[in-house]
């Protein structure tokens, strides 16, 4: 939903914009204002995404009002004077409606903002989902794997490293035991907490807390084993440790 206000010193012009907003499901009218000063008070008290503002108004013009805004809003100028169009677009207005304008013209301009707001909301939702997924992964204590015709719960902290074996993955567990499951290493990587496990080779994922040392091309683990460090994974591996030293 796009929250908007309309500013115009002409009552009939305000009435027209109000009727257009009321007809548009994606728009919500917060207030109609007869002056820029009245609009400033509304903006100080309400969250507003979109402002329909007339340019030629007494006391403070629409252009002066937009220049003085202290927060970001989408702007659509409405005016009977086409000579102000260039000045309006210099202020990054989304569109410019020349009075009298039809509902179709109103919708064409409004749809630009509706689409932009929808895109921003989708991006925020995706970011929140990613953050939530990362939080859930970091809090997860066990991972379930299918092996030997049954599902086993494996404690994540006990996994020393994972090794790709074609269509299978071998989980090397503390105490030198292994579990082989029908799973791709790439898919297994997304199931593990990213702050604890890192892909270090096209065939290996390592538990970062199990690393005891490393040299050129080799990562030594606390169980006495070592695994190779792939050339394509060195930069990310060294970046991880540089950020923690």
């Amino acid at each position: 939903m796009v929250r908007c206000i309309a500013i115009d010193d002409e009552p009939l012009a305000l009435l027209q914009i109000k009727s257009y907003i009321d007809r548009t499901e994606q728009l919500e009218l917060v207030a109609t204002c007869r002056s820029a000063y009245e609009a400033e008070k509304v903006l100080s008290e309400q969250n507003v995404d979109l402002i329909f503002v007339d340019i030629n108004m007494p006391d403070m013009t629409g252009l002066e009002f937009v220049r003085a805004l202290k927060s970001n809003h989408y702007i659509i100028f409405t005016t009977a004077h086409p000579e102000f169009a260039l000045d309006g677009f210099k202020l990054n207005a989304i569109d410019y409606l020349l009075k009298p304008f039809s509902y179709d013209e109103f919708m064409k301009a409004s749809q630009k903002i509706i689409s932009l707001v929808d895109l921003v909301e989708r991006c925020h939702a995706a970011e929140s989902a990613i953050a939530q997924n990362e939080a859930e992964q970091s809090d997860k204590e066990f991972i379930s794997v299918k092996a030997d015709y049954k599902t086993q719960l494996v404690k994540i902290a006990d996994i020393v490293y994972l090794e790709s074996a074609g269509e299978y993955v071998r989980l090397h567990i503390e105490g030198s035991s292994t579990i082989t499951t029908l799973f791709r290493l790439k898919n297994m990587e997304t199931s593990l907490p990213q702050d604890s496990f890192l892909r270090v080779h096209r065939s290996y994922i390592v538990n970062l807390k199990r690393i005891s040392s490393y040299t050129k091309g080799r990562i030594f683990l606390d169980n006495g084993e070592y695994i190779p460090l792939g050339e394509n994974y060195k930069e990310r591996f060294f970046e991880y440790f540089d950020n923690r030293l």
Side-chain angles (χ1 to χ4, degrees):
M1 183 69 69
V2 179
R3 292 170 56 82
C4 49
I5 63 171
I7 312 168
D8 203 307
D9 61 315
E10 298 178 11
L12 290 179
L14 273 184
L15 187 62
Q16 180 192 49
I17 294 178
K18 180 182 183 304
S19 68
Y20 285 171
I21 293 173
D22 290 342
R23 288 174 60 183
T24 309
E25 184 178 352
Q26 301 96 327
L27 299 181
E28 177 186 351
L29 181 62
V30 175
T32 56
C33 306
R34 294 286 301 276
S35 70
Y37 298 110
E38 187 179 335
E40 287 178 339
K41 185 176 186 303
V42 173
L43 292 177
S44 69
E45 300 172 350
Q46 300 281 348
N47 292 322
V48 173
D49 302 304
L50 168 61
I51 300 174
F52 294 94
V53 56
D54 183 23
I55 289 181
N56 191 21
M57 296 187 296
D59 298 326
M60 182 188 292
T61 69
L63 295 173
E64 291 170 336
F65 167 76
V66 172
R67 289 193 189 102
L69 286 174
K70 296 179 181 179
S71 53
N72 294 324
H73 303 277
Y74 299 111
I75 304 295
I76 293 179
F77 284 112
T78 62
T79 184
H81 303 278
E83 65 270 21
F84 292 126
L86 182 58
D87 292 328
F89 285 120
K90 283 181 179 179
L91 293 174
N92 297 320
I94 296 297
D95 216 327
Y96 186 100
L97 291 172
L98 189 61
K99 298 177 182 177
F101 49 86
S102 67
Y103 179 69
D104 287 342
E105 291 173 310
F106 171 87
M107 270 306 300
K108 186 176 180 180
S110 299
Q111 190 58 53
K112 297 176 184 178
I113 288 89
I114 292 169
S115 298
L116 282 170
V117 171
D118 180 63
L119 178 61
V120 170
E121 289 178 348
R122 287 175 184 270
C123 289
H124 287 167
E127 290 172 356
S128 298
I130 291 171
Q132 182 178 355
N133 182 57
E134 290 177 349
E136 289 173 352
Q137 285 186 354
S138 62
D139 292 339
K140 190 165 55 176
E141 187 176 357
F142 293 89
I143 187 172
S144 61
V145 296
K146 292 183 179 179
D148 299 326
Y149 305 101
K150 60 184 178 181
T151 299
Q152 296 179 236
L153 287 177
V154 179
K155 191 173 182 179
I156 292 175
D158 290 342
I159 301 173
V160 182
Y161 67 96
L162 300 90
E163 177 185 6
S164 175
E167 298 293 323
Y168 293 84
V169 172
R170 291 195 189 96
L171 285 73
H172 294 259
I173 311 299
E174 183 179 32
S176 299
S177 63
T178 61
I179 297 174
T180 302
T181 181
L182 182 61
F183 221 78
R184 289 185 178 274
L185 194 65
K186 181 178 180 180
N187 295 335
M188 185 67 77
E189 184 179 7
T190 62
S191 301
L192 295 166
Q194 296 179 11
D195 61 339
S196 301
F197 287 82
L198 184 67
R199 185 97 172 245
V200 296
H201 187 278
R202 63 186 179 87
S203 299
Y204 294 92
I205 295 174
V206 65
N207 185 338
L208 295 164
K209 297 177 182 178
R210 295 287 184 162
I211 296 175
S212 60
S213 62
Y214 60 87
T215 61
K216 185 177 180 180
R218 290 183 178 182
I219 300 171
F220 292 87
L221 307 171
D222 59 7
N223 65 353
E225 297 184 67
Y226 69 84
I227 59 176
L229 175 59
E231 190 67 31
N232 294 335
Y233 299 85
K234 285 183 178 180
E235 182 177 351
R236 188 179 174 193
F237 177 78
F238 291 127
E239 180 183 349
Y240 173 86
F241 282 97
D242 286 345
N243 290 336
R244 283 156 178 78
L245 292 178

